[in-house]
Amino acid sequence: MRELLDGAGGVGGLLAAWYGPPDRPATPVTPGRVPPALRAWYAAVSPYTRPVLFNHKVAPESGLYEDEGQLSFCVDDFEYQEFGAAPGDGDPVVHRREIDGEGGWEPHDDGMRLSEFLPALLVHETVEGARYGAAADGLTLNQLRPLLAPLRRLSGPELFTAQYAGEGLLALAWPRGDVWDVRLAARDEALLGYVDGVAGATGAAGVRRGPGEWCPPEGRG
């Protein structure tokens, strides 16, 4: 799974591995102002009837608009913030701004580019929207490491959290003071079978099995 996320084909590779082959033709995109990474996103995502995002929304080509030099292409579900990137044929740094705030566009702190942002967004949404998941809060590093042992950390700037990928597994993990929170997702429920054993062996109380927080009701059955 990690290898599917490395390089330009990451979005399509992850979707095929996680959800299977697409079920309809891709929506064509007009060349010009849409950056190549966003065109590749449309080509990979538009052939899927099922939703692949559960909180953030990437606008269709018809919904893109340019303001102060940035092409606004993504908002979160609460419409609190939006993300933009310079139009054209480059791989621009992603910017963000509060929708109702008075501030302007601010570049990503670590210079995350559009080609990095979109796969990272998909991983984040896939974990939080997964049908088969596990979650734990307040873990020590000794409790966290065995849960992440089947996965490897994905390289590149962080979108919201550190991200991990393994064979049929994805994960998010982030520090909270001296402890860590983690969210795991599996393509198949059986792939999470190791979690209960690890939790028992390390004393990681409170490991919860179940759908991700953003998993829609129709995906929980």
Side-chain angles (χ1 to χ4, degrees), residues 11 27 29 33 41 52 75 99 158 162 165 203 214 218:
V11 169
T27 301
V29 178
R33 64 174 183 158
W41 169 272
V52 300
V75 299
I99 294 176
E158 291 184 10
W214 299 340
E218 61 271 18

Side-chain angles (χ1 to χ4, degrees), residues 4 7 35 76 87 89 92 95 119 163 169 171 218:
L4 295 174
D76 64 18
D89 289 330
H95 288 58
Q163 299 184 337
L169 294 168
E218 61 271 18

Side-chain angles (χ1 to χ4, degrees), residues 20-45:
D23 57 321
R24 64 183 179 187
T27 301
V29 178
T30 305
R33 64 174 183 158
V34 181
L38 189 53
R39 294 201 301 266
W41 169 272
Y42 292 140
V45 171

Side-chain angles (χ1 to χ4, degrees), residues 164-219:
Y164 300 79
E167 186 57 43
L169 294 168
L170 295 170
L172 311 172
W174 62 95
R176 186 167 47 84
D178 295 331
V179 296
W180 287 76
D181 298 342
V182 64
R183 303 292 182 265
L184 293 156
R187 182 178 55 202
D188 300 308
E189 188 173 18
L191 295 173
L192 289 172
Y194 78 99
V195 168
D196 296 334
V198 166
T202 62
V207 176
R208 311 178 296 278
R209 293 277 295 273
E213 181 181 358
W214 299 340
C215 182
E218 61 271 18

